[in-house]
Amino acid sequence: MKKRLMACALFASLSVQAQNHDLPAPVKALEKQGITIIKPFTAPGGVEGWLGKYQDTGVTIYLTPDKKHAISGYMYDEKGNNLSEKIINDEIYIPAGREMWHTLTKAAGINEGSNQADCPVVVFADPFCPYCHTFWQQAQPLLKEKRISLKTLLVGVLRPDSGRYAAAVLASDNPASAWQTLQASNGKNKPTLPEKTSQAAFKQIQHNQSLMDQLGANGTPAIYYLNKDKALQQIVGLPNAEQMARLAACE
């Protein structure tokens, strides 16, 4: 997954690696322009390179043989393959995605399906999101076949009362049952709103919203899973047929 916002949490720890290396003057000059140097690497052709970030986007920097000039940009091979993109993905985005996935799997949510399913999936959903409802329906056969499992992290983003109903679901005696009843009725069988919102449920919704913000998702459903290569995948909005097929195959 090439989502730069997910890498933010890892940049601080990665950047420490570069402090153990003396930087050439042109590379140091780029630091003054706002580029944070993370680590050195050897590029094809014996070119010295540095991995860095600018405004939470991974960048690569290459030093000229005279060590007096630095170039920030992409390196390509004779077949047109972007070699810089590979190192940015391998060193920043993929590890950041795995770290974020670990955070998502620890978050409390509404679980459906078998823990032996082929592909665990996490989705951020609003109680009144029609696309969330459609995705929930599409997921049901996959849950029965144990192709996926589903963890729903509730947020309140669509309506003024979304948060209250999300909290009511979470505060019910059986949140999974309350959520399934709401979805199976297409939003008609709503949970009863308590006189006072549960503080625990409120904090859980706030935490879910914070995670969603960290991931850079701007709508629901926001769907996440690790593919077979252990790279985090993101689908924001209702998946199209191709996306749904890839999710079902954990690709």
Side-chain angles (χ1 to χ4, degrees):
M1 175 184 175
K2 304 170 186 177
K3 294 294 179 183
R4 63 183 180 86
L5 292 175
M6 290 199 313
C8 301
L10 295 189
F11 276 132
S13 60
L14 287 171
S15 62
V16 175
Q17 301 176 37
Q19 296 175 5
N20 299 323
H21 301 272
D22 293 329
L23 298 177
V27 179
K28 285 184 179 179
L30 289 176
E31 282 191 307
K32 295 178 182 179
Q33 298 182 30
I35 294 179
T36 300
I37 305 302
I38 295 173
K39 62 182 294 186
F41 65 93
T42 300
V47 176
E48 292 183 76
W50 278 264
L51 182 65
K53 66 109 175 180
Y54 179 72
Q55 295 181 352
D56 299 322
T57 299
V59 297
T60 47
I61 299 162
Y62 301 97
L63 191 67
T64 57
D66 62 8
K67 301 185 184 300
K68 294 182 179 180
H69 305 86
I71 302 168
S72 176
Y74 294 138
M75 175 182 282
Y76 294 85
D77 64 15
E78 70 278 5
K79 296 181 180 179
N81 297 312
N82 188 329
L83 305 180
S84 302
E85 187 178 58
K86 184 179 187 309
I87 190 169
I88 292 171
N89 286 338
D90 290 349
E91 297 289 341
I92 296 181
Y93 295 141
I94 290 177
R98 290 171 183 166
E99 185 72 16
M100 179 54 75
W101 177 251
H102 180 65
T103 300
L104 292 176
T105 57
K106 291 194 302 181
I110 297 170
N111 295 302
E112 298 178 77
S114 170
N115 57 12
Q116 302 298 318
D118 296 335
C119 190
V121 176
V122 175
V123 58
F124 293 88
D126 183 288
F128 301 110
C129 166
Y131 294 144
C132 300
H133 171 68
T134 301
F135 173 68
W136 180 85
Q137 288 180 312
Q138 292 175 340
Q140 296 310 299
L142 300 177
L143 291 168
K144 292 179 181 178
E145 296 167 4
K146 296 185 180 181
R147 297 179 69 183
I148 71 167
S149 62
L150 191 61
K151 175 190 284 187
T152 299
L153 304 181
L154 292 180
V155 293
V157 295
L158 287 186
R159 288 179 17 178
D161 58 352
S162 286
R164 293 186 66 201
Y165 277 102
V169 170
L170 295 176
S172 65
D173 293 337
N174 189 330
S177 177
W179 177 246
Q180 289 164 0
T181 297
L182 180 67
Q183 293 305 300
S185 67
N186 196 13
K188 294 177 182 178
N189 293 335
K190 303 180 185 67
T192 301
L193 290 177
E195 293 183 5
K196 186 177 181 181
T197 299
S198 160
Q199 189 66 19
F202 177 74
K203 287 183 178 180
Q204 187 172 336
I205 293 167
Q206 279 192 318
H207 180 62
N208 294 345
Q209 185 63 60
S210 175
L211 289 176
M212 201 172 152
D213 291 342
Q214 290 177 51
L215 287 158
N218 57 3
T220 55
I223 304 160
Y224 299 88
Y225 63 98
L226 278 190
N227 67 10
K228 293 176 181 177
D229 295 325
K230 304 301 181 185
L232 187 62
Q233 305 299 301
Q234 178 191 58
I235 305 169
V236 177
L238 182 64
N240 59 33
E242 180 181 352
Q243 290 171 324
M244 200 66 193
R246 290 180 64 84
L247 182 150
C250 213
E251 295 178 347

